[in-house]
Amino acid sequence: RLFSRCFRTGRSGYSLLILSAFSILLASVFCTNLAPAQSVGKISGTVKDADSHEPLIGCNITIQGTNLGAATDLEGSYFILNVPPGKYDVQASMVGYQKVLQEGVIINANRTTPLDFTLTSSAVTQKEVVIEATRPDVELEKTSTSAVVRFEDVQTVAGMRDVGDILTLAADVTDGHFRGGRTGEEYYTLQGMGIVNPLDNSTAFLPIMSAVEEVEVITSGFGAQYGNAQSGVVNISMKEGRSDRWTTRAEVRTRAPGRKHFGPSVYDPSANPYLTALLDQSVWLRGDPNTGNTPYYQSMGSGLNSRYAGDTAVQLQVARTLWGMQARRDMNKTYGNDIDYDGELATGGPIADNMRMFVALQSNTQWPVFPTEEPDFQRQVMGNIAADLGNKATLHLSGGYSLQNTNVFPSSNGTGYLTWLWDRILSIDYQKTTNLQLGARFTHTLSPSTYYEVKVNSLWTKLTEGSTPSPSSVPDSLIVNPQHSQVDWDKIIPQVITGPDGFSYLKGDDEFKDQLTRTVSLDAALTSQVTKSHLLNGGAQANLYHIDVSNSLNTRRGAGGPVESYNINPFEAAMYAQDKMEFEGLIANVGLRWDLWYAGRDYYDNLFSPFLITDSAGNPINNPTLAPQSSTPILARLQPRAGVSFPVSLKTVFHLNYGTFMQRPSFQYVISSRVQQGSLTPIQIGNPRLMPENTNSYDVGVTQGLGEGFTLDVSGYYKDVKNLIDQATFTSIKTGATYTTWFNRDYADIRGFRLALTKRRGAFTGSINYQFGVATGKSATTSYAPVAFTQDTSGGISTSTTKIPVRDILLDFDRTHNLIINLAYETTPGWGPQVFGFFPLENTVLSSYSFLRSGRPYTSPANPTVINGSRAPGEYNTNIRLTRRIPNFFGVAATLYFEVFNLFDNKILNYDYVFATPTANTTSNITNNYERYAIDNPRTGILYWPDTSPPLSWGVDQSFLIYDNAPRSFNLGFVIEL
């Protein structure tokens, strides 16, 4: 009744709703047997006598280096809850029996690790038996499709630097799309706490792998504790310091110099026909003989005619000087010789008897594809402190900080390079992104079977972007009368300097962004192993957001361009309950989640002229503040989820899962506000009444152990996606207002299967992952298939759906086939030939990572009515790494490695440039010429720009734009471990 009343009262029930949610949160902590267990694991097993095979009662099981442990019951069984992910040594001891120590036991978050012991009776004290634990080939409790990747699993794979690189190992994650979903449909957690930017649903930062204990990538069947996710969850667990000793790892790596794009230097006259031509004085005098253009000296340097009184010779000389010596002063410039370098340091250990810490730092410097004033760089710090407070209570403090400065090339996927290629000061955007995450997790064990935890998390993101102001290095000859109050120049130099080749100088970019978000989260829960077969968990969560956006767009306009500004405080809360049932023939995770959302702002009553009011004189004006608004309702939804595993044997497990997964739209679609400066006419308005997007997911599969360390995992899936967001345009003929917003009106139908063959043990290891998938719907993004509504002067409304496909189409990120092959061979000590008493090939790992995947769909100009009826060429790539371990390098363990990226120099087409946007009857000269002619055809191929936007009859070699990947490159790295 209380929540029904809140929904009926709308905004006036907001305070009541918060109070009720807080009350439920407290009740979940103190009055229920529910909890999340989002970032910890469990150990369970039995202890038996080696001779009689009878269960041993009262045997002590301890996790070395921690205060965690348990004793066996009357049936010789035990379990240990609340174990942080990691690799541990676990000991079983009992009076009259020989101690047994199992080393290297791996604990994963949200999973139960089975661990049985067999003890031999001993009349006298003997040295304990040490057993090397092995990771089971088949996971018996597999109720979802997921993969757990530990740092040591990928240490020898080329290019595995951060969590984003780990995602490239999953065949059902391509280009940021999890199993055919749109981007942003996944949720990232660090230590069980969210690290997602609420403005656009992107991850705030990607933790470096040297700071990570494990990464769990779930693509179906994630539990009820996870909200705001439709297509996947990435659960990241940070390393913790050991309590018995300090460990340290340091790594440096560098990239060998070399250009980062295919094709010749863009500043090489011999490779670019337009430069060759314009270095000829006769061309300046006569113009292009093929097109009959006017002499080029008249198009370079405003005011030359009047300033030099028609003296052709002087005008010609000045124009050529302005073009060749100043505007194109980078002629013959070399680049690609700068060195990228990266360094990481990770260390952890005890800082007191009951306290330990861990910290990891990274500094990464990379030069962009083209030369810039400063390189791109990233700094990242992550760490945590774990303290045992006594009385079986622990406190974990964790945090992450990242700073990233990036050079942004505007219009990088089109001929916008005409703006910045010869002017990389004013025309380059500089983006600074700062993220800070701080969290605290308090855990109190009430009994061996019950504990509760309270987590508080804060996430702060800051993004600023803009171009350099008018630089002092601009040659005086190009500045006639600078207008200091704006980025641009006055009418004496009409906006920019544009040469006869079509390239601009002093144009600059005119968009500036300043975006801040803050998220404060509270998560309280309780866990209880009520019986051997039932682990109940659940809890309550709440997120408070602050979003402050202040963007200025098209600032060169005389009256000022659009302004995007809003400051909002949305709210959301959730409760969930889940039961993990473990029986011999069945393991099930059954849960129910309840979410509610409140946008934090009202909506405008007038759909077609939202800001329109009448002033005191009776005149219509736009006033966003005074225009009529209504309260936005609070939204709430239930989400049932169930996953079942059927262990037929120790080597065969069937699993199936079903779930309803809902996601609040990112706030850029909910609360945005973009208006025209001065007139205050609406341009873009968010829709606070947007419903959550919804996915019903079905998954069934089988995991089979094949022996010798081989495991085969096959699963099929189907996803029914509804309430996806699409753009809509509202136009009033009477008032002239036109603006865009968003509505829930799209859907998707996604299906496929995944096959994974894995070998974890032995000298030869690796995996082969394959996915077949088909993703169909109306639009791959919120803007590809907009609907338009028009209101005439009499109030009648017409609807235009010309940009919406009549039939379902393949979404443009669909890749039918995706194959990922990851192989490694490791040699043992003393392996290979001996040279002067030295084995050069011992302790060496040679690994390769390859992908082969279908190209993306596109609309062919040969048949433009069939949207996405054709497919781009397939894509291929192979990276290799050679790793040599040195066990004793001046007293420390060291590793030297060499990496080769794009081993075979494969070229991948830039999809966003070469292929058309999937809109009905939309064609492109670029796509048309790509289909009809060879890329390097000197007259009609897309290698040269006159055939796509022809200001000239000679061309620019566009290899740097046509291909999206980089040519072969080499890295060298060195690691020491203490």
Side-chain angles (χ1 to χ4, degrees):
R1 283 188 221 161
L2 180 60
F3 286 104
S4 298
R5 181 181 170 190
C6 292
F7 300 146
R8 289 196 304 269
T9 55
R11 189 177 183 183
S12 63
Y14 184 38
S15 299
L16 184 60
L17 181 61
I18 295 177
L19 178 62
S20 61
F22 185 73
S23 300
I24 293 174
L25 184 148
L26 293 177
S28 69
V29 176
F30 297 109
C31 304
T32 66
N33 288 331
L34 304 175
Q38 291 182 345
S39 55
V40 294
K42 171 186 171 184
I43 299 177
S44 69
T46 59
V47 182
K48 295 182 179 180
D49 184 289
D51 298 322
S52 66
H53 303 293
E54 293 294 324
L56 295 179
I57 304 170
C59 180
N60 293 315
I61 312 298
T62 57
I63 301 177
Q64 302 293 289
T66 75
N67 61 355
L68 299 174
T72 55
D73 60 15
L74 295 176
E75 297 178 357
S77 301
Y78 75 95
F79 61 82
I80 305 174
L81 303 178
N82 197 26
V83 185
K87 182 180 284 189
Y88 298 94
D89 298 338
V90 183
Q91 184 186 78
S93 62
M94 188 173 180
V95 176
Y97 286 85
Q98 193 175 23
K99 294 180 180 179
V100 175
L101 180 70
Q102 294 205 38
E103 294 182 329
V105 178
I106 295 176
I107 309 300
N108 301 128
N110 304 320
R111 281 170 165 76
T112 300
T113 298
L115 192 64
D116 296 332
F117 290 87
T118 301
L119 271 59
T120 302
S121 61
S122 176
V124 295
T125 303
Q126 296 182 4
K127 187 177 179 180
E128 67 182 359
V129 177
V130 178
I131 301 172
E132 184 69 25
T134 58
R135 190 173 178 178
D137 295 334
V138 176
E139 187 180 335
L140 298 182
E141 62 170 290
K142 185 179 180 65
T143 61
S144 63
T145 298
S146 63
V148 176
V149 181
R150 296 178 52 79
F151 178 50
E152 64 233 35
D153 297 337
V154 296
Q155 272 187 290
T156 59
V157 180
M160 295 295 110
R161 311 291 190 238
D162 58 38
V163 171
D165 299 319
I166 297 300
L167 299 180
T168 64
L169 301 175
D172 43 2
V173 180
T174 55
D175 308 316
H177 299 270
F178 284 59
R179 282 200 167 181
R182 290 181 177 180
T183 56
E185 291 186 355
E186 63 282 351
Y187 191 72
Y188 290 77
T189 71
L190 177 63
Q191 300 293 86
M193 295 173 278
I195 53 170
V196 173
N197 185 332
L199 186 60
D200 58 8
N201 279 356
S202 65
T203 176
F205 63 97
L206 293 168
I208 53 177
M209 283 306 296
S210 59
V212 170
E213 184 68 43
E214 68 176 31
V215 180
E216 181 185 23
V217 182
I218 313 173
T219 51
S220 79
F222 35 95
Q225 68 267 36
Y226 298 111
N228 263 337
Q230 292 186 87
S231 294
V233 169
V234 180
N235 192 15
I236 307 162
S237 299
M238 196 189 307
K239 288 182 178 178
E240 291 190 1
R242 295 176 60 102
S243 61
D244 55 347
R245 63 185 176 90
W246 277 83
T247 59
T248 300
R249 181 183 187 276
E251 179 176 3
V252 293
R253 52 180 167 262
T254 184
R255 178 186 184 273
R259 279 202 300 269
K260 297 181 178 181
H261 67 79
F262 284 101
S265 167
V266 294
Y267 307 114
D268 182 359
S270 65
N272 290 277
Y274 82 102
L275 291 175
T276 303
L278 288 172
L279 288 173
D280 183 354
Q281 178 172 315
S282 63
V283 171
W284 282 86
L285 185 64
R286 297 191 308 268
D288 180 5
N290 296 318
T291 62
N293 285 343
T294 57
Y296 286 141
Y297 67 82
Q298 296 181 4
S299 64
M300 185 67 192
S302 176
L304 291 182
N305 286 331
S306 60
R307 191 176 300 184
Y308 298 106
D311 190 328
T312 300
V314 175
Q315 292 179 45
L316 174 62
Q317 185 62 35
V318 172
R320 291 192 66 211
T321 300
L322 289 175
W323 179 85
M325 296 183 64
Q326 296 195 38
R328 304 293 175 263
R329 64 186 182 279
D330 285 336
M331 195 87 67
N332 292 306
K333 181 181 180 66
T334 60
Y335 58 95
N337 298 322
D338 296 303
I339 297 176
D340 298 344
Y341 52 93
D342 188 3
E344 295 182 16
L345 175 66
T347 185
I351 54 178
D353 291 340
N354 60 344
M355 188 177 298
R356 58 194 183 276
M357 67 162 289
F358 174 84
V359 64
L361 306 93
Q362 180 208 40
S363 177
N364 182 15
T365 300
Q366 294 186 353
W367 288 92
V369 175
F370 298 101
T372 54
E373 293 180 277
E374 297 291 337
D376 297 339
F377 71 83
Q378 176 178 315
R379 310 288 185 260
Q380 188 174 126
V381 180
M382 297 180 62
N384 59 67
I385 295 176
D388 299 323
L389 304 181
N391 196 27
K392 299 182 179 180
T394 59
L395 176 66
H396 290 76
L397 303 177
S398 62
Y401 171 81
S402 71
L403 171 65
Q404 187 169 4
N405 278 18
T406 308
N407 294 274
V408 179
F409 294 84
S411 304
S412 57
N413 283 322
T415 52
Y417 66 81
L418 299 177
T419 299
W420 53 258
L421 194 60
W422 293 93
D423 179 7
R424 296 173 311 283
I425 298 178
L426 186 65
S427 297
I428 298 296
D429 278 357
Y430 300 90
Q431 180 177 284
K432 180 179 180 180
T433 305
T434 307
N435 302 285
L436 175 65
Q437 183 264 340
L438 296 172
R441 180 167 65 95
F442 174 78
T443 305
H444 186 200
T445 300
L446 302 177
S447 71
S449 61
T450 303
Y451 71 93
Y452 71 86
E453 68 177 358
V454 178
K455 291 186 288 190
V456 179
N457 182 51
S458 64
L459 177 67
W460 184 85
T461 73
K462 175 74 170 178
L463 181 146
T464 57
E465 182 177 326
S467 62
T468 299
S470 303
S472 59
S473 60
V474 173
D476 292 338
S477 56
L478 293 181
I479 303 178
V480 178
N481 185 13
Q483 188 176 17
H484 295 292
S485 60
Q486 295 185 6
V487 176
D488 223 343
W489 313 96
D490 68 0
K491 294 181 180 178
I492 296 179
I493 296 181
Q495 290 198 334
V496 294
I497 302 296
T498 302
D501 50 17
F503 287 86
S504 300
Y505 191 73
L506 303 179
K507 186 172 184 178
D509 195 31
D510 59 354
E511 294 192 357
F512 298 85
K513 297 179 180 179
D514 188 351
Q515 300 174 173
L516 170 71
T517 74
R518 282 196 293 266
T519 305
V520 177
S521 304
L522 178 63
D523 189 327
L526 187 76
T527 295
S528 182
Q529 185 83 50
V530 293
T531 69
K532 288 183 180 180
S533 301
H534 292 274
L535 176 64
L536 296 179
N537 57 77
Q541 303 162 342
N543 294 321
L544 296 174
Y545 300 104
H546 172 72
I547 298 175
D548 187 355
V549 172
S550 180
N551 299 332
S552 298
L553 315 173
N554 299 333
T555 55
R556 285 199 304 267
R557 292 186 181 181
V563 174
E564 192 169 40
S565 179
Y566 46 95
N567 190 315
I568 307 295
N569 297 285
F571 168 82
E572 64 187 13
M575 295 189 300
Y576 62 92
Q578 188 160 287
D579 183 9
K580 181 178 182 180
M581 297 172 282
E582 298 176 278
F583 304 99
E584 289 187 5
L586 180 144
I587 299 172
N589 281 296
V590 180
L592 182 66
R593 182 179 180 87
W594 180 79
D595 279 281
L596 66 86
W597 301 270
Y598 177 67
R601 70 174 300 171
D602 297 335
Y603 65 91
Y604 291 97
D605 294 340
N606 189 337
L607 270 177
F608 288 89
S609 299
F611 298 165
L612 190 65
I613 64 169
T614 303
D615 64 12
S616 57
N619 300 315
I621 62 171
N622 287 304
N623 191 317
T625 304
L626 299 180
Q629 301 180 58
S630 296
S631 298
T632 298
I634 295 171
L635 303 175
R637 294 291 186 274
L638 280 174
Q639 303 165 60
R641 302 173 186 182
V644 182
S645 172
F646 303 95
V648 177
S649 68
L650 292 177
K651 292 187 176 182
T652 306
V653 176
F654 290 93
H655 78 267
L656 58 89
N657 62 69
Y658 161 80
T660 297
F661 306 100
M662 294 185 180
Q663 186 175 25
R664 165 193 43 77
S666 60
F667 286 118
Q668 63 182 333
Y669 304 124
V670 177
I671 59 178
S672 65
S673 177
R674 183 181 298 177
V675 301
Q676 178 60 47
Q677 186 176 352
S679 66
L680 298 181
T681 55
I683 297 175
Q684 179 177 289
I685 305 176
N687 183 1
R689 292 182 291 175
L690 283 175
M691 308 292 284
E693 298 175 310
N694 176 56
T695 295
N696 289 313
S697 176
Y698 308 83
D699 183 283
V700 60
V702 59
T703 303
Q704 178 66 53
L706 304 177
E708 301 298 326
F710 284 95
T711 303
L712 179 65
D713 190 349
V714 181
S715 63
Y717 61 89
Y718 172 71
K719 295 166 63 176
D720 179 20
V721 188
K722 297 178 180 177
N723 278 345
L724 288 176
I725 299 171
D726 264 351
Q727 195 176 78
T729 301
F730 285 83
T731 301
S732 172
I733 301 298
K734 183 177 181 179
T735 65
T738 297
Y739 74 97
T740 60
T741 187
W742 294 270
F743 279 86
N744 299 97
R745 59 178 312 277
D746 206 351
Y747 60 88
D749 187 274
I750 303 166
R751 62 193 70 202
F753 68 87
R754 170 182 171 272
L755 182 151
L757 178 64
T758 306
K759 185 177 187 295
R760 291 197 183 99
R761 299 195 303 273
F764 180 76
T765 58
S767 63
I768 300 175
N769 290 275
Y770 168 76
Q771 176 183 255
F772 172 88
V774 178
T776 60
K778 297 294 186 184
S779 176
T781 71
T782 61
S783 59
Y784 280 175
V787 62
F789 300 97
T790 303
Q791 187 180 55
D792 59 29
T793 55
S794 63
I797 300 173
S798 60
T799 304
S800 173
T801 58
T802 56
K803 294 185 178 181
I804 301 175
V806 177
R807 299 182 179 87
D808 287 357
I809 62 171
L810 285 172
L811 302 181
D812 76 339
F813 53 75
D814 174 87
R815 296 186 186 273
T816 305
H817 307 284
N818 187 29
L819 177 65
I820 296 175
I821 303 174
N822 188 18
L823 304 174
Y825 185 82
E826 181 175 10
T827 65
T828 56
W831 188 90
Q834 185 177 13
V835 180
F836 302 111
F838 174 68
F839 294 92
L841 300 181
E842 68 176 351
N843 299 317
T844 300
V845 180
L846 177 63
S847 67
S848 67
Y849 163 81
S850 303
F851 68 72
L852 302 88
R853 60 195 183 200
S854 303
R856 293 164 56 183
Y858 74 94
T859 304
S860 171
N863 193 3
T865 59
V866 181
I867 301 175
N868 286 349
S870 298
R871 193 173 287 274
E875 299 173 2
Y876 315 94
N877 182 75
T878 296
N879 303 331
I880 63 171
R881 170 167 161 157
L882 183 65
T883 304
R884 173 69 160 86
R885 296 192 180 95
I886 308 171
N888 188 355
F889 180 77
F890 297 101
V892 299
T895 301
L896 181 69
Y897 63 85
F898 177 70
E899 297 175 321
V900 183
F901 296 94
N902 195 3
L903 176 66
F904 301 110
D905 236 13
N906 297 117
K907 296 180 179 179
I908 297 176
L909 290 174
N910 183 347
Y911 181 90
D912 294 327
Y913 173 68
V914 176
F915 302 103
T917 301
T919 302
N921 299 312
T922 297
T923 60
S924 163
N925 287 335
I926 302 172
T927 310
N928 182 62
N929 283 17
Y930 163 76
E931 290 188 337
R932 297 177 61 189
Y933 308 106
I935 288 178
D936 58 354
N937 187 304
R939 297 295 303 173
T940 53
I942 64 171
L943 185 64
Y944 298 107
W945 60 314
D947 302 296
T948 61
S949 178
L952 298 172
S953 62
W954 52 74
V956 179
D957 190 307
Q958 293 186 128
S959 298
F960 66 91
L961 180 60
I962 294 172
Y963 301 107
D964 193 41
N965 63 326
R968 185 186 300 114
S969 62
F970 308 93
N971 275 14
L972 183 66
F974 183 68
V975 181
I976 60 172
E977 295 177 279
L978 302 174

